[in-house]
Amino acid sequence: MSKTIAVFDNQENAVKAVQALRSGGFAPDEIKVLGRDRDSIRFIESDTDVHADELQDIKEARRNDSGAYPLDRTGFVVGAAPFGGNTISSGGAPFFAGGYVLADDVIGGDTPFESIFKELGLSESLAEKARDAVAEGGIVLIADREDGSDNVYEADGPSQDTLAGAEAIFRSNGATTILT
């Protein structure tokens, strides 16, 4: 798989980028849109035909499905902290559950958001960058081609777009960062 990953700081630019990718021949399942919660991505799904994922919902669903902490992690409570604070982790915003910092997310291991990005095929370095971008309120878009190359091919019909073209689309539609 070949991926081009961009961070947007607002929904309007993210919507324009998704629409441009679709016009350029990317199929809906070749575009991933990820934000921290519903507020960060609420217009993207309604203004495009691409599904947007809320990392907070994915994390909660995993915790509810497993009966344990997301991704079968069983950290212990080490102290109270407000949701969304940034007081303990030097590698990005720590994860807080119900107002408590879980030790497993502060002492080694991946945060749930980072693990989600890794499951999408991002390297550890890219997963960390994407996690940090989302923690700061960014929206992550991933253009993903299954053929593993940057060659032109048909997705939703003839396309002159490539993954290099996806980067150009991201940049021309206000991406604040291209993750590499």
Side-chain angles (χ1 to χ4, degrees), residues 12-72:
E12 182 180 336
N13 288 344
V15 166
K16 288 178 186 176
V18 169
Q19 290 170 338
L21 286 170
R22 291 289 292 126
S23 293
F26 280 81
D29 64 344
E30 294 176 318
I31 304 168
K32 306 270 186 286
V33 180
L34 299 120
R36 181 178 181 92
D37 53 32
R38 189 73 198 146
D39 287 339
S40 67
I41 58 171
R42 67 178 173 236
F43 297 116
I44 297 171
E45 241 178 18
S46 64
D47 290 351
T48 70
D49 61 349
V50 174
H51 174 70
D53 288 306
E54 304 165 46
L55 295 178
Q56 194 67 33
D57 280 355
I58 293 170
K59 176 192 56 89
E60 289 300 320
R62 288 179 178 174
R63 182 161 87 201
N64 292 338
D65 288 346
S66 70
Y69 188 67
L71 304 176
D72 295 323

Side-chain angles (χ1 to χ4, degrees), residues 19-177:
Q19 290 170 338
L21 286 170
R22 291 289 292 126
S23 293
F26 280 81
D29 64 344
E30 294 176 318
I31 304 168
K32 306 270 186 286
V33 180
L34 299 120
R36 181 178 181 92
D37 53 32
R38 189 73 198 146
D39 287 339
S40 67
I41 58 171
R42 67 178 173 236
F43 297 116
I44 297 171
E45 241 178 18
S46 64
D47 290 351
T48 70
D49 61 349
V50 174
H51 174 70
D53 288 306
E54 304 165 46
L55 295 178
Q56 194 67 33
D57 280 355
I58 293 170
K59 176 192 56 89
E60 289 300 320
R62 288 179 178 174
R63 182 161 87 201
N64 292 338
D65 288 346
S66 70
Y69 188 67
L71 304 176
D72 295 323
R73 298 160 57 94
T74 57
F76 57 92
V77 174
V78 294
F83 216 102
N86 196 10
T87 58
I88 294 182
S89 172
S90 62
F95 169 70
F96 301 104
Y100 293 95
V101 179
L102 297 176
D104 199 29
D105 285 316
V106 177
I107 305 169
D110 297 338
T111 64
F113 288 173
E114 185 177 338
S115 294
I116 292 167
F117 284 114
K118 283 182 177 180
E119 289 173 13
L120 290 172
L122 275 62
S123 68
E124 184 171 342
S125 172
L126 289 176
E128 288 173 2
K129 291 175 184 178
R131 173 208 62 206
D132 291 346
V134 168
E136 294 171 7
I139 300 164
V140 173
L141 265 62
I142 303 171
D144 188 358
R145 284 278 161 106
E146 294 291 331
D147 69 346
S149 73
D150 283 352
N151 295 329
V152 176
Y153 79 105
E154 291 188 25
D156 242 13
S159 171
Q160 298 301 311
D161 199 15
T162 64
L163 287 174
E167 182 174 339
I169 288 170
F170 287 154
R171 289 187 189 283
S172 68
N173 286 285
T176 56
T177 307

